[in-house]
Amino acid sequence: MAVELVRRQHTHLLLPHASLDAPQRALFEVALRPAGWIADPDENSTMSLRWRRDHTALRVQTLGWFPLLVTVGPIGKPSAVHRDAAARLTAAVLAGGGKSFTDRQLVEYLPQSQLRWQRALMERQRLSTAERLLQARRCSYCGTWSDLSATHCAGCRRRFTSADDAERDTTVSRATATVKEAETALAELARGVVLERLGGVSRG
């Protein structure tokens, strides 16, 4: 997909957000609507957006996450109308703290984008596991999960001892710290913090 999209008529943009969510869609919409572009109601993908203006069409395609990397290009033959739309989107992204990539910078960045996405997946898993530990406790005898404040195991009905409670409190403390660490890491990845230096693109 990346090879097909690295063409001179495409514009590559990096936004300081995790993914193509509602705020980013709204940003693009606000940038294009004054120029007469109308969002295509048949484009419901979480990976791309499409607009139409008269007989011309424009697509924004996601290439990476954490931070959001998209490429903007015409559907069909490129024209001055498409170039104006790309310029409007670029201006909106730069005003919001994003970056514009050349084709060369895009190719240089794509491997890093994959590594950042893998790191985000790992942090999301850490976050999910830690959040569960803040909601329930696990019996050391039968392995059943019970409510965090339960006095008896929901499985074997064994009464939790003071040692069990101390272990739960330690687990909660560690899980709380893990949640904070994972949330911080995900926020930094989404903002583009510590991007490796590319030609003309400085660290975030």
XYZ file of all heavy atoms in Angstrom, residues 46-136:
724
model
N -12.725 3.147 8.780
C -11.967 3.760 9.869
C -10.547 4.082 9.426
O -9.787 4.675 10.171
C -11.904 2.816 11.086
O -11.296 1.580 10.673
C -13.293 2.535 11.628
N -10.199 3.666 8.198
C -8.855 3.864 7.680
C -8.752 5.009 6.682
O -7.662 5.497 6.408
C -8.383 2.584 6.986
C -8.172 1.408 7.913
S -6.697 1.598 8.905
C -5.444 1.494 7.638
N -9.876 5.433 6.106
C -9.798 6.452 5.070
C -11.029 7.339 5.048
O -12.067 7.010 5.638
C -9.620 5.793 3.697
O -10.760 5.004 3.374
N -10.888 8.475 4.388
C -11.972 9.432 4.192
C -11.997 9.807 2.719
O -10.968 9.771 2.038
C -11.738 10.691 5.035
C -11.661 10.509 6.550
C -11.229 11.809 7.207
C -13.009 10.066 7.103
N -13.170 10.190 2.232
C -13.286 10.558 0.828
C -14.243 11.742 0.694
O -15.265 11.814 1.370
C -13.805 9.368 0.019
C -13.776 9.563 -1.483
C -14.033 8.244 -2.192
N -15.308 7.662 -1.821
C -15.638 6.386 -2.009
N -14.771 5.560 -2.536
N -16.826 5.936 -1.660
N -13.871 12.668 -0.191
C -14.719 13.828 -0.467
C -14.924 13.955 -1.969
O -14.093 13.486 -2.759
C -14.062 15.125 0.044
C -14.005 15.259 1.521
C -14.931 15.818 2.351
C -12.927 14.840 2.360
N -14.507 15.766 3.650
C -13.280 15.176 3.688
C -11.701 14.217 2.130
C -12.459 14.909 4.759
C -10.879 13.940 3.189
C -11.255 14.293 4.499
N -15.984 14.636 -2.329
C -16.273 14.896 -3.745
C -16.569 16.378 -3.949
O -17.124 17.045 -3.082
C -17.463 14.061 -4.216
C -17.194 12.566 -4.182
C -18.258 11.767 -4.909
N -17.949 10.336 -4.879
C -17.097 9.740 -5.695
N -16.470 10.456 -6.618
N -16.867 8.446 -5.616
N -16.170 16.855 -5.118
C -16.484 18.222 -5.534
C -16.763 18.174 -7.029
O -15.848 17.935 -7.816
C -15.339 19.182 -5.223
C -15.584 20.586 -5.740
C -14.425 21.511 -5.430
N -14.556 22.744 -6.168
C -13.694 23.759 -6.101
N -12.630 23.658 -5.312
N -13.878 24.851 -6.810
N -18.014 18.375 -7.396
C -18.426 18.227 -8.795
C -18.051 16.821 -9.280
O -18.507 15.844 -8.712
C -17.789 19.321 -9.660
C -18.215 20.719 -9.217
O -19.378 20.858 -8.773
O -17.404 21.649 -9.303
N -17.171 16.740 -10.260
C -16.794 15.431 -10.807
C -15.421 14.975 -10.317
O -14.845 14.036 -10.884
C -16.807 15.478 -12.333
C -18.140 15.828 -12.915
N -19.247 15.009 -12.779
C -18.565 16.930 -13.587
C -20.287 15.564 -13.371
N -19.907 16.742 -13.866
N -14.899 15.627 -9.316
C -13.590 15.249 -8.775
C -13.753 14.593 -7.404
O -14.739 14.821 -6.701
C -12.667 16.468 -8.650
O -13.296 17.440 -7.785
C -12.398 17.092 -10.005
N -12.770 13.780 -7.034
C -12.814 13.081 -5.745
C -11.436 13.101 -5.098
O -10.406 13.123 -5.781
C -13.295 11.648 -5.937
N -11.426 13.074 -3.774
C -10.195 13.166 -2.981
C -10.265 12.136 -1.865
O -11.325 11.922 -1.270
C -10.068 14.573 -2.392
C -8.833 14.882 -1.545
C -7.639 15.122 -2.470
C -9.090 16.139 -0.707
N -9.131 11.506 -1.566
C -9.102 10.523 -0.490
C -7.967 10.820 0.484
O -6.872 11.216 0.082
C -8.925 9.114 -1.050
C -8.737 8.050 0.055
C -8.578 6.651 -0.493
N -9.846 6.115 -0.933
C -10.071 5.609 -2.143
N -9.108 5.611 -3.036
N -11.242 5.123 -2.463
N -8.256 10.607 1.761
C -7.242 10.615 2.817
C -7.130 9.177 3.310
O -8.113 8.595 3.781
C -7.634 11.555 3.974
C -6.696 11.341 5.158
C -7.578 13.004 3.537
N -5.945 8.598 3.197
C -5.726 7.195 3.560
C -4.743 7.101 4.725
O -3.679 7.720 4.713
C -5.160 6.430 2.366
C -4.880 4.965 2.635
C -6.154 4.160 2.768
O -7.080 4.328 1.992
N -6.207 3.291 3.771
N -5.104 6.324 5.735
C -4.221 6.123 6.882
C -3.086 5.173 6.528
O -3.303 4.112 5.941
C -5.012 5.536 8.070
O -6.039 6.446 8.449
C -4.089 5.296 9.261
N -1.865 5.566 6.907
C -0.688 4.719 6.702
C -0.082 4.251 8.025
O 0.671 3.278 8.049
C 0.384 5.467 5.906
C 0.028 5.902 4.487
C 1.218 6.603 3.849
C -0.404 4.718 3.648
N -0.377 4.963 9.113
C 0.205 4.591 10.398
C -0.504 5.271 11.551
O -1.235 6.240 11.372
N -0.259 4.756 12.754
C -0.874 5.278 13.974
C 0.204 5.590 15.014
O 1.306 5.081 14.959
C -1.817 4.242 14.571
C -2.889 3.759 13.647
C -4.150 4.266 13.512
C -2.808 2.669 12.731
N -4.852 3.551 12.570
C -4.058 2.571 12.064
C -1.797 1.764 12.386
C -4.314 1.606 11.099
C -2.064 0.798 11.415
C -3.305 0.727 10.795
N -0.165 6.413 15.981
C 0.723 6.751 17.114
C 2.059 7.314 16.658
O 3.114 6.734 16.931
C 0.952 5.525 18.004
C -0.259 5.128 18.805
C -1.192 4.234 18.297
C -0.477 5.668 20.057
C -2.300 3.877 19.025
C -1.589 5.311 20.803
C -2.505 4.416 20.284
N 2.143 8.493 16.048
C 1.047 9.378 15.695
C 0.403 8.996 14.360
O 0.903 8.125 13.637
C 1.720 10.740 15.599
C 3.105 10.415 15.159
C 3.450 9.114 15.833
N -0.696 9.685 14.063
C -1.466 9.402 12.857
C -0.723 9.872 11.610
O -0.360 11.035 11.494
C -2.823 10.106 12.948
C -3.715 10.047 11.706
C -4.102 8.602 11.393
C -4.957 10.904 11.912
N -0.504 8.960 10.689
C 0.149 9.265 9.422
C -0.847 9.015 8.295
O -1.401 7.914 8.195
C 1.380 8.372 9.244
C 2.108 8.457 7.898
C 2.680 9.850 7.674
C 3.211 7.397 7.836
N -1.095 10.025 7.479
C -2.045 9.876 6.374
C -1.413 10.386 5.086
O -0.468 11.174 5.112
C -3.363 10.649 6.621
C -4.042 10.168 7.892
C -3.115 12.164 6.684
N -1.945 9.917 3.982
C -1.553 10.442 2.682
C -2.814 10.952 1.989
O -3.869 10.338 2.079
C -0.836 9.365 1.831
O -0.218 9.989 0.717
C -1.772 8.289 1.359
N -2.694 12.102 1.344
C -3.820 12.761 0.683
C -3.573 12.734 -0.819
O -2.494 13.116 -1.280
C -3.952 14.227 1.145
C -5.152 14.898 0.476
C -4.049 14.304 2.657
N -4.556 12.291 -1.580
C -4.362 12.251 -3.020
C -5.663 12.197 -3.789
O -6.717 11.889 -3.235
N -5.592 12.487 -5.069
C -6.784 12.479 -5.914
C -7.228 11.065 -6.255
O -6.431 10.139 -6.266
C -6.322 13.209 -7.168
C -4.864 12.895 -7.249
C -4.384 12.863 -5.825
N -8.520 10.907 -6.468
C -9.039 9.675 -7.038
C -9.253 9.988 -8.521
O -10.150 10.748 -8.871
C -10.359 9.255 -6.368
C -10.139 9.039 -4.866
C -10.909 7.987 -7.012
C -11.415 8.737 -4.096
N -8.413 9.447 -9.346
C -8.453 9.808 -10.749
C -7.345 10.784 -11.086
O -6.355 10.918 -10.367
N -7.510 11.499 -12.169
C -6.490 12.419 -12.658
C -6.342 13.627 -11.735
O -7.323 14.284 -11.393
C -6.854 12.891 -14.069
C -5.781 13.737 -14.726
C -6.185 14.120 -16.139
C -5.110 14.977 -16.811
N -5.498 15.344 -18.201
N -5.114 13.949 -11.298
C -4.905 15.104 -10.419
C -5.170 16.414 -11.137
O -5.019 16.516 -12.352
C -3.442 14.976 -10.010
C -2.809 14.196 -11.105
C -3.853 13.241 -11.591
N -5.586 17.414 -10.368
C -5.905 18.715 -10.952
C -5.562 19.821 -9.962
O -5.171 19.563 -8.815
C -7.400 18.789 -11.285
O -8.174 18.748 -10.087
N -5.736 21.065 -10.394
C -5.495 22.212 -9.522
C -6.437 22.197 -8.330
O -6.084 22.641 -7.231
C -5.662 23.510 -10.315
N -7.628 21.679 -8.521
C -8.608 21.582 -7.431
C -8.088 20.646 -6.340
O -8.211 20.928 -5.146
C -9.969 21.083 -7.968
C -10.931 20.809 -6.819
C -10.572 22.109 -8.921
N -7.492 19.545 -6.760
C -6.916 18.609 -5.791
C -5.736 19.243 -5.052
O -5.587 19.063 -3.833
C -6.438 17.339 -6.505
C -7.541 16.477 -7.018
N -7.792 16.337 -8.357
C -8.462 15.728 -6.373
C -8.810 15.514 -8.520
N -9.245 15.128 -7.334
N -4.917 19.953 -5.777
C -3.752 20.589 -5.143
C -4.183 21.633 -4.128
O -3.565 21.780 -3.069
C -2.844 21.204 -6.224
C -2.093 20.160 -7.053
C -1.031 20.792 -7.938
N -1.622 21.562 -9.029
C -1.965 21.038 -10.197
N -1.811 19.742 -10.419
N -2.480 21.793 -11.165
N -5.241 22.369 -4.440
C -5.766 23.349 -3.491
C -6.275 22.649 -2.233
O -6.034 23.114 -1.114
C -6.898 24.153 -4.135
C -7.565 25.094 -3.138
O -6.936 26.109 -2.781
O -8.696 24.796 -2.697
N -6.965 21.523 -2.405
C -7.475 20.773 -1.259
C -6.330 20.263 -0.388
O -6.377 20.344 0.844
C -8.332 19.607 -1.745
N -5.281 19.731 -1.029
C -4.121 19.244 -0.281
C -3.455 20.375 0.491
O -3.023 20.196 1.629
C -3.131 18.581 -1.236
N -3.386 21.543 -0.130
C -2.788 22.704 0.538
C -3.620 23.107 1.752
O -3.071 23.477 2.801
C -2.672 23.869 -0.437
N -4.941 23.051 1.623
C -5.820 23.392 2.752
C -5.644 22.409 3.910
O -5.570 22.800 5.078
C -7.278 23.388 2.292
C -7.656 24.547 1.379
C -9.065 24.392 0.825
N -9.428 25.522 -0.029
C -9.986 26.639 0.411
N -10.262 26.760 1.707
N -10.276 27.625 -0.414
N -5.568 21.129 3.579
C -5.377 20.121 4.613
C -4.011 20.262 5.274
O -3.881 20.132 6.500
C -5.535 18.723 4.017
C -6.946 18.341 3.580
C -6.933 16.975 2.903
C -7.909 18.344 4.755
N -2.992 20.531 4.473
C -1.643 20.712 5.017
C -1.605 21.893 5.981
O -1.027 21.803 7.071
C -0.630 20.932 3.883
O -0.628 19.786 3.027
C 0.767 21.147 4.442
N -2.221 22.995 5.600
C -2.244 24.183 6.458
C -2.942 23.881 7.777
O -2.492 24.299 8.850
C -2.939 25.332 5.737
N -4.038 23.135 7.710
C -4.783 22.798 8.933
C -3.955 21.906 9.844
O -3.937 22.093 11.073
C -6.098 22.105 8.559
N -3.254 20.949 9.257
C -2.430 20.028 10.054
C -1.248 20.762 10.682
O -0.947 20.580 11.869
C -1.939 18.860 9.174
C -0.862 18.057 9.896
C -3.115 17.959 8.809
N -0.581 21.596 9.921
C 0.554 22.350 10.461
C 0.113 23.294 11.571
O 0.816 23.463 12.569
C 1.239 23.134 9.336
C 1.918 22.314 8.246
C 2.528 23.220 7.188
C 2.981 21.388 8.835
N -1.069 23.902 11.402
C -1.588 24.805 12.438
C -1.889 24.049 13.728
O -1.844 24.627 14.821
C -2.847 25.506 11.931
N -2.175 22.743 13.607
C -2.468 21.932 14.780
C -1.259 21.220 15.354
O -1.403 20.325 16.188
N -0.071 21.619 14.907
C 1.148 21.028 15.447
C 1.635 19.798 14.708
O 2.546 19.110 15.181
N 1.058 19.517 13.530
C 1.484 18.363 12.760
C 2.639 18.676 11.831
O 3.221 19.767 11.881
N 2.964 17.728 10.957
C 4.095 17.872 10.034
C 3.682 17.411 8.644
O 2.743 16.624 8.488
C 5.291 17.038 10.504
C 5.888 17.457 11.836
C 7.037 16.537 12.205
C 7.754 17.000 13.461
N 6.909 16.843 14.665
N 4.408 17.894 7.660
C 4.231 17.451 6.284
C 5.482 16.685 5.869
O 6.596 17.136 6.140
C 4.011 18.661 5.363
O 3.953 18.258 4.009
N 5.301 15.511 5.240
C 6.413 14.682 4.811
C 6.566 14.730 3.294
O 5.577 14.724 2.559
C 6.169 13.209 5.189
C 6.514 12.853 6.605
C 6.954 13.807 7.502
C 6.397 11.539 7.031
C 7.274 13.463 8.809
C 6.710 11.180 8.336
C 7.147 12.151 9.224
N 7.795 14.716 2.840
C 8.062 14.491 1.423
C 7.964 12.980 1.176
O 7.904 12.185 2.127
C 9.470 14.970 1.041
O 10.432 14.184 1.768
C 9.662 16.455 1.374
N 7.991 12.583 -0.096
C 7.982 11.155 -0.410
C 9.162 10.450 0.246
O 9.021 9.360 0.814
C 8.047 10.944 -1.927
C 6.752 11.296 -2.627
O 5.765 11.599 -1.934
O 6.729 11.274 -3.866
N 10.321 11.059 0.177
C 11.521 10.451 0.746
C 11.391 10.301 2.261
O 11.762 9.267 2.829
C 12.743 11.300 0.407
C 14.046 10.748 0.970
C 15.223 11.612 0.554
N 16.464 11.126 1.146
C 17.652 11.691 0.952
N 17.752 12.751 0.163
N 18.727 11.196 1.532
N 10.886 11.318 2.920
C 10.712 11.247 4.366
C 9.694 10.184 4.747
O 9.834 9.501 5.769
C 10.288 12.612 4.903
C 11.387 13.658 4.852
C 10.861 15.056 5.093
O 9.671 15.329 4.920
N 11.746 15.954 5.480
N 8.659 10.034 3.920
C 7.651 9.016 4.189
C 8.270 7.627 4.171
O 8.072 6.831 5.098
C 6.526 9.097 3.157
C 5.490 7.968 3.225
C 4.712 8.046 4.530
C 4.554 8.019 2.038
N 9.019 7.332 3.135
C 9.660 6.020 3.020
C 10.612 5.790 4.186
O 10.717 4.692 4.736
C 10.410 5.893 1.680
C 11.230 4.615 1.632
C 9.413 5.928 0.528
N 11.280 6.849 4.609
C 12.230 6.769 5.725
C 11.500 6.520 7.049
O 12.002 5.813 7.925
C 13.000 8.094 5.798
C 14.326 8.023 6.516
C 15.060 9.352 6.469
O 14.757 10.178 5.583
O 15.920 9.571 7.338
N 10.298 7.073 7.162
C 9.571 6.998 8.428
C 8.754 5.723 8.589
O 8.532 5.274 9.720
C 8.634 8.206 8.558
C 7.743 8.139 9.775
C 8.270 8.304 11.059
C 6.380 7.877 9.661
C 7.464 8.214 12.178
C 5.569 7.797 10.773
C 6.113 7.965 12.028
O 5.309 7.868 13.132
N 8.317 5.102 7.511
C 7.401 3.969 7.608
C 7.891 2.840 8.527
O 7.100 2.303 9.304
C 7.087 3.431 6.209
C 6.086 4.267 5.406
C 5.951 3.710 3.987
C 4.727 4.326 6.087
N 9.177 2.438 8.491
C 9.613 1.397 9.427
C 9.462 1.836 10.886
O 9.097 1.037 11.748
C 11.091 1.194 9.054
C 11.183 1.633 7.631
C 10.242 2.791 7.529
N 9.742 3.104 11.155
C 9.580 3.605 12.516
C 8.107 3.597 12.919
O 7.762 3.305 14.067
C 10.138 5.032 12.615
C 10.077 5.584 14.037
C 10.467 7.037 14.122
O 10.103 7.703 15.084
N 11.191 7.560 13.156
N 7.243 3.912 11.956
C 5.806 3.909 12.235
C 5.348 2.533 12.697
O 4.560 2.406 13.639
C 5.041 4.329 10.978
O 3.644 4.289 11.194
N 5.855 1.497 12.044
C 5.490 0.131 12.427
C 5.972 -0.190 13.836
O 5.244 -0.800 14.632
C 6.087 -0.859 11.432
C 5.796 -2.325 11.743
C 4.324 -2.659 11.684
O 3.577 -2.029 10.954
N 3.901 -3.647 12.447
N 7.184 0.231 14.164
C 7.718 -0.015 15.504
C 6.924 0.723 16.564
O 6.671 0.197 17.661
C 9.189 0.409 15.565
C 10.169 -0.433 14.744
C 11.559 0.176 14.800
C 10.182 -1.873 15.256
N 6.498 1.949 16.247
C 5.711 2.725 17.215
C 4.341 2.078 17.431
O 3.826 2.062 18.542
C 5.569 4.163 16.725
C 6.882 4.930 16.691
C 6.694 6.328 16.128
N 5.957 7.180 17.044
C 6.514 7.869 18.045
N 7.810 7.791 18.253
N 5.780 8.633 18.824
N 3.754 1.531 16.376
C 2.465 0.859 16.505
C 2.610 -0.396 17.367
O 1.762 -0.680 18.226
C 1.934 0.506 15.122
C 0.714 -0.374 15.117
C 0.581 -1.566 14.497
C -0.549 -0.115 15.753
N -0.680 -2.074 14.705
C -1.393 -1.208 15.471
C -1.031 0.934 16.535
C -2.698 -1.278 15.949
C -2.343 0.864 17.004
C -3.162 -0.232 16.712
N 3.682 -1.142 17.184
C 3.920 -2.327 18.000
C 4.101 -1.950 19.469
O 3.612 -2.647 20.364
C 5.141 -3.081 17.478
C 4.926 -3.731 16.129
C 6.190 -4.329 15.540
O 7.284 -4.176 16.092
N 6.058 -4.996 14.412
N 4.798 -0.830 19.711
C 4.971 -0.356 21.085
C 3.616 0.049 21.669
O 3.320 -0.237 22.842
C 5.924 0.848 21.080
C 5.996 1.613 22.401
C 6.765 0.875 23.464
N 6.667 1.543 24.749
C 7.337 2.644 25.105
N 8.188 3.201 24.232
N 7.178 3.156 26.308
N 2.768 0.676 20.857
C 1.445 1.071 21.334
C 0.604 -0.151 21.689
O -0.116 -0.153 22.697
C 0.734 1.919 20.281
N 0.692 -1.208 20.889
C -0.046 -2.438 21.181
C 0.402 -3.025 22.515
O -0.412 -3.494 23.312
C 0.159 -3.455 20.065
C -0.548 -3.188 18.734
C -0.187 -4.268 17.728
C -2.059 -3.122 18.928
N 1.721 -3.008 22.747
C 2.258 -3.525 23.998
C 1.756 -2.706 25.182
O 1.345 -3.249 26.219
C 3.781 -3.498 23.968
C 4.432 -4.055 25.222
S 6.220 -3.771 25.257
C 6.264 -1.994 25.613
N 1.760 -1.375 25.038
C 1.308 -0.515 26.126
C -0.191 -0.678 26.367
O -0.655 -0.627 27.510
C 1.631 0.948 25.815
C 3.117 1.261 25.765
C 3.823 1.043 27.097
O 3.150 0.966 28.154
O 5.069 0.934 27.095
N -0.955 -0.879 25.320
C -2.391 -1.111 25.472
C -2.657 -2.410 26.230
O -3.573 -2.483 27.044
C -3.060 -1.156 24.096
C -3.323 0.212 23.491
C -3.995 0.080 22.139
N -4.593 1.336 21.713
C -5.210 1.506 20.559
N -5.319 0.488 19.717
N -5.734 2.670 20.237
N -1.846 -3.440 25.957
C -1.993 -4.704 26.660
C -1.643 -4.539 28.132
O -2.337 -5.060 29.015
C -1.097 -5.772 26.026
C -1.208 -7.142 26.684
C -2.615 -7.696 26.626
O -3.249 -7.684 25.578
N -3.116 -8.168 27.756
N -0.565 -3.820 28.411
C -0.182 -3.540 29.804
C -1.298 -2.801 30.515
O -1.643 -3.110 31.670
C 1.086 -2.687 29.850
C 2.367 -3.378 29.456
C 3.540 -2.423 29.636
N 3.759 -2.099 31.032
C 4.245 -0.946 31.483
N 4.538 0.022 30.635
N 4.426 -0.741 32.762
N -1.878 -1.828 29.818
C -2.947 -1.024 30.402
C -4.170 -1.878 30.704
O -4.762 -1.784 31.788
C -3.314 0.111 29.442
C -4.402 1.094 29.906
C -3.980 1.791 31.189
C -4.677 2.113 28.805
N -4.551 -2.732 29.761
C -5.719 -3.591 29.949
C -5.536 -4.539 31.124
O -6.447 -4.725 31.946
C -5.976 -4.387 28.658
O -7.047 -5.281 28.826
N -4.347 -5.148 31.212
C -4.068 -6.076 32.311
C -4.093 -5.362 33.655
O -4.675 -5.855 34.637
C -2.699 -6.740 32.106
O -2.697 -7.453 30.868
C -2.373 -7.699 33.244
N -3.478 -4.190 33.717
C -3.425 -3.436 34.969
C -4.811 -2.971 35.389
O -5.157 -3.005 36.584
C -2.490 -2.241 34.818
N -5.622 -2.554 34.427
C -6.972 -2.083 34.759
C -7.818 -3.212 35.346
O -8.629 -2.982 36.240
C -7.646 -1.501 33.518
C -7.078 -0.151 33.127
C -7.693 0.404 31.856
O -8.218 -0.395 31.042
O -7.638 1.626 31.657
N -7.612 -4.429 34.872
C -8.358 -5.555 35.439
C -7.949 -5.793 36.884
O -8.779 -6.118 37.736
C -8.119 -6.821 34.611
C -8.917 -8.000 35.176
C -8.947 -9.202 34.291
N -9.873 -10.192 34.819
C -10.070 -11.394 34.300
N -9.403 -11.756 33.220
N -10.928 -12.233 34.835
N -6.659 -5.634 37.158
C -6.170 -5.835 38.528
C -6.710 -4.771 39.479
O -6.668 -4.960 40.701
C -4.642 -5.827 38.542
C -3.964 -7.000 37.811
C -2.457 -6.810 37.791
C -4.333 -8.326 38.482
N -7.189 -3.671 38.940
C -7.786 -2.627 39.773
C -9.284 -2.853 39.985
O -9.920 -2.134 40.739
C -7.569 -1.248 39.129
C -6.122 -0.777 39.047
C -6.037 0.559 38.326
C -5.516 -0.665 40.445
N -9.824 -3.851 39.308
C -11.254 -4.121 39.409
C -11.567 -5.436 40.117
O -12.684 -5.643 40.578
C -11.870 -4.158 38.005
C -11.745 -2.849 37.238
C -12.150 -2.995 35.783
O -12.485 -4.072 35.314
N -12.095 -1.891 35.043
N -10.603 -6.338 40.168
C -10.865 -7.658 40.750
C -9.603 -8.230 41.387
O -8.496 -7.800 41.089
C -11.385 -8.610 39.675
